[in-house]
Amino acid sequence: MFQAFQRWPGRITLALAAASAVYSASANAGEQGDPTKALRSEVTISAGAGGPTIDPDIYGQFVEHLGRGVYEGIWVGPDSAIPNVRGIRSDVVAALRRVKVPVIRWPGGCFADGYHWRDGIGPADKRPRGINAAWSKSPETNAFGTHEFMDFLGQIGAKPFISVNLGSGSVREADDWLRYMTAPQDSAPGAERAANGRAQPWEVPFIGVGNESWGCGGNMSADTYAAAFRHYSAFLRTYSGERAKLIAVGADTDDYAWTDRVMAQAMKWRSQPTPLSLTTDRPLMWGLSLHFYTFAGNDWHAKGRNVDFDENAWAAALARADLTDELIRRHSEIMDRYDPEKRVALAVDEWGGWFQSEKDAPSQLYLESTLRDALIAAKSLNIFNRHADRVKMANLAQMVNVIQSLVLTRGAAMVVTPTYHVFDMYKVHQGAQALPVTVATPDYIQGKVRLPGIDVSASRDAAGKLHVTIANLDPARANRLNIRLDGGPWRRASARVLTADRIDTRITFEGPDPFVPQPLPARLTAGGVELDLPSKSVTVLEVE
């Protein structure tokens, strides 16, 4: 079926077109079985329309003490032969600076609700050696703690998103940590921080109040968590700089009842104030989180391999990623009932592809990275961009050496992944104004999977340039895309494309990077731009 669908603002409305479009559908339907013929699609962009700002923090990252995500991936120690600055490896820093990582969530994840911050401060030889109870009871040296994390952020130019220990910690411990990080030097916690090497307070703009409290963070019900969040929110504050933004634990995937209960019970200081009582309209929370992972299907116990997979597994994973749109839409509808002004953000602070690790994987949850990961990233980021009115942060899990990474390391060697290249291509959207997009495209059909063949988001930056990012999901057929633009006149257009020979092409440490984006011809037309999208590709178009 040829679908015309409008993705704005955060809804998908499917509609069969009028007679002429039905005719086009019939013509294209015959081509779907013939991989030698390019499909045709049309995108209409309202370049002069207003829209929400795409928050740069949508392009955030997540780091947890898991596998080699921290140790080796980021921290090698100041005495390492691997080039480093104060123990933080320089090649990883340079790579992350290039893609303009805006914010990083740390120390977890499930690790966060067993982490006690005092174990990670002070002289390295005095820090206790612990056990990472969250992940295989592996050793935890505590060599990478608060000072090292903040130093790492300073080197790459990112903001901290600190997850405090609600599961096994206390309000007092969380408050003490914030005092240590943000109090003035002339206070007792500030003096202790200065004695450990940092005189000036750090800025801590985001605080996660627990992690997955419905699971590894406490096995709580929504009611129990809402009460705990309210308690913590009364004491969690920064002692210098701007007020910290509290992010409440949100739902696991499609647990809509959790969202409803937490919004009802924890969003407001007083949900039903009496006429004469003290109250405030400011929400207790800045954001509510959402966790959602992509694998080949919907079975947590059969995620599928990330290498040597077939087209059925390709399609199943993209169908799972496509559910991101429905999840955001439905959680947002619940949030709208309690917060129609959209003062509370939806923070998708764990997302990405999570497939079965190979038996010979060098560390826990390590995945080799393939072209499919690039399409998952492109599709997910397009969805976040289109929901920029409610989604204000997202954090890819996880940045280095764990599941869908930007960077992989092997000793002194480092490579960037196809996902990295997508983030590099999409960074043009950071801080830009999202634009309404209407897409008419043939479906990609594989077995029971049926998806719109291309996925698109668009924005206009402060200089007036338009950027359009497009994922062609079809692994066999190119797609001639006509983009209709209002406004103008448009003087020039250029594009870059990422693709590979096979759907399971992977990055290796031995050979050249097969995923480096290449120029793609973009032709200005009377009404916009035309370009030919290769099969299984991600494209960024710039028009000015």
Side-chain angles (χ1 to χ4, degrees):
M1 180 176 67
F2 192 89
Q3 294 177 346
F5 58 96
Q6 173 106 13
R7 295 186 181 262
W8 191 266
R11 294 178 179 269
I12 305 175
T13 304
L14 299 179
L16 288 175
S20 60
V22 172
Y23 173 80
S24 297
S26 300
N28 270 316
E31 295 175 358
Q32 283 198 319
D34 185 352
T36 65
K37 294 183 179 180
L39 302 172
R40 291 180 179 272
S41 299
E42 185 172 276
V43 170
T44 302
I45 299 174
S46 301
T53 297
I54 298 173
D55 198 306
D57 293 336
I58 285 174
Y59 292 81
Q61 301 294 318
F62 170 40
V63 167
E64 183 169 11
H65 292 236
L66 193 175
R68 292 178 299 123
V70 170
Y71 299 111
E72 185 192 303
I74 297 170
W75 178 259
V76 293
D79 299 327
S80 174
I82 298 173
N84 68 87
V85 175
R86 296 180 294 278
I88 297 164
R89 58 186 298 162
S90 299
D91 51 359
V92 171
V93 166
L96 298 176
R97 285 187 65 88
R98 174 180 171 84
V99 294
K100 297 182 179 179
V101 172
V103 62
I104 298 178
R105 179 174 177 247
W106 175 85
C110 294
F111 179 81
D113 280 296
Y115 181 66
H116 300 285
W117 66 273
R118 281 201 166 276
D119 293 344
I121 64 170
D125 60 349
K126 302 295 184 183
R127 299 182 188 182
R129 294 182 63 87
I131 298 173
N132 186 337
W135 296 106
S136 300
K137 301 177 183 177
S138 54
E140 172 56 56
T141 67
N142 285 307
F144 189 86
T146 303
H147 287 256
E148 292 75 22
F149 176 64
M150 293 297 196
D151 187 10
F152 172 56
L153 295 183
Q155 290 186 38
I156 67 172
K159 304 185 294 288
F161 172 1
I162 300 292
S163 292
V164 301
N165 180 350
L166 181 141
S168 68
S170 66
V171 171
R172 174 67 181 270
E173 181 182 28
D175 179 40
D176 283 348
W177 195 8
L178 288 170
R179 290 172 188 258
Y180 181 84
M181 289 187 286
T182 67
Q185 184 181 352
D186 59 3
S187 66
E192 182 183 15
R193 182 189 63 242
N196 287 328
R198 172 74 182 195
Q200 294 300 313
W202 286 297
E203 295 280 342
V204 181
F206 300 106
I207 301 170
V209 186
N211 167 77
E212 295 187 356
S213 300
W214 35 261
C216 66
N219 291 335
M220 298 180 186
S221 67
D223 292 353
T224 302
Y225 175 74
F229 175 84
R230 294 184 67 86
H231 184 196
Y232 271 68
S233 70
F235 297 95
L236 295 185
R237 61 179 65 85
T238 51
Y239 292 85
S240 61
E242 296 183 3
R243 179 192 295 270
K245 302 176 177 70
L246 303 186
I247 299 176
V249 171
D252 173 13
T253 311
D254 58 349
D255 188 350
Y256 302 113
W258 178 282
T259 297
D260 185 78
R261 297 298 292 169
V262 172
M263 286 295 291
Q265 298 182 48
M267 175 193 158
K268 293 182 179 180
W269 184 39
R270 285 181 169 166
S271 58
Q272 293 180 324
T274 58
L276 301 180
S277 62
L278 175 65
T279 189
T280 177
D281 288 335
R282 182 175 60 82
L284 289 180
M285 65 182 72
W286 173 85
L288 183 67
S289 73
L290 172 65
H291 290 184
F292 178 61
Y293 286 98
T294 291
F295 27 85
N298 292 312
D299 186 348
W300 272 93
H301 305 289
K303 299 184 183 76
R305 298 179 70 193
N306 201 38
V307 295
D308 300 329
F309 52 84
D310 61 14
E311 187 177 349
N312 288 328
W314 164 277
L318 293 176
R320 171 86 176 184
D322 187 65
L323 289 175
T324 305
D325 193 275
E326 177 185 334
L327 293 171
I328 291 174
R329 176 174 54 82
R330 292 186 63 181
H331 284 292
S332 295
E333 287 172 351
I334 295 167
M335 295 173 74
D336 285 345
R337 295 205 298 266
Y338 300 97
D339 175 36
E341 297 87 5
K342 292 181 168 54
R343 294 176 295 171
V344 177
L346 186 61
V348 190
D349 60 11
E350 287 189 29
W351 70 273
W354 186 345
F355 300 96
Q356 173 187 324
S357 294
E358 298 299 294
K359 291 182 179 179
D360 60 352
S363 52
Q364 192 171 18
L365 299 192
Y366 178 90
L367 294 178
E368 296 186 66
S369 192
T370 70
L371 177 64
R372 183 175 63 180
D373 297 325
L375 272 294
I376 290 169
K379 186 169 184 56
S380 300
L381 291 170
N382 280 341
I383 291 169
F384 300 151
N385 289 344
R386 294 196 300 264
H387 287 278
D389 59 336
R390 178 67 80 175
V391 177
K392 301 298 181 183
M393 181 188 288
N395 306 82
L396 177 70
Q398 296 184 17
M399 190 169 66
V400 184
N401 286 337
V402 178
I403 49 180
Q404 187 163 355
S405 307
L406 294 187
V407 171
L408 302 176
T409 67
R410 187 176 68 185
M414 186 207 79
V415 293
V416 299
T417 67
T419 300
Y420 175 93
H421 289 301
V422 171
F423 271 76
D424 192 32
M425 296 165 76
Y426 275 54
K427 67 187 180 185
V428 292
H429 288 305
Q430 292 189 24
Q433 186 179 43
L435 297 174
V437 175
T438 303
V439 180
T441 183
D443 284 346
Y444 165 54
I445 303 169
Q446 175 65 20
K448 295 181 179 180
V449 171
R450 189 181 198 116
L451 298 169
I454 64 171
D455 194 280
V456 183
S457 69
S459 68
R460 182 180 60 243
D461 68 15
K465 295 180 181 178
L466 303 185
H467 294 102
V468 186
T469 45
I470 311 134
N472 182 6
L473 309 187
D474 196 308
R477 285 166 285 277
N479 200 313
R480 174 157 289 184
L481 178 60
N482 177 35
I483 300 178
R484 299 173 60 186
L485 299 171
D486 62 14
W490 307 106
R491 302 186 306 277
R492 62 179 63 89
S494 61
R496 293 184 297 144
V497 65
L498 179 159
T499 188
D501 293 338
R502 304 185 321 276
I503 57 176
D504 64 342
T505 299
R506 70 185 83 168
I507 192 69
T508 69
F509 287 91
E510 289 74 26
D513 184 349
F515 299 104
V516 176
Q518 300 297 318
L520 181 71
R523 302 174 291 277
L524 282 173
T525 65
V529 180
E530 186 178 74
L531 61 167
D532 293 313
L533 306 174
S535 63
K536 56 186 183 306
S537 65
V538 180
T539 299
V540 58
L541 169 70
E542 180 175 279
V543 187
E544 53 183 318

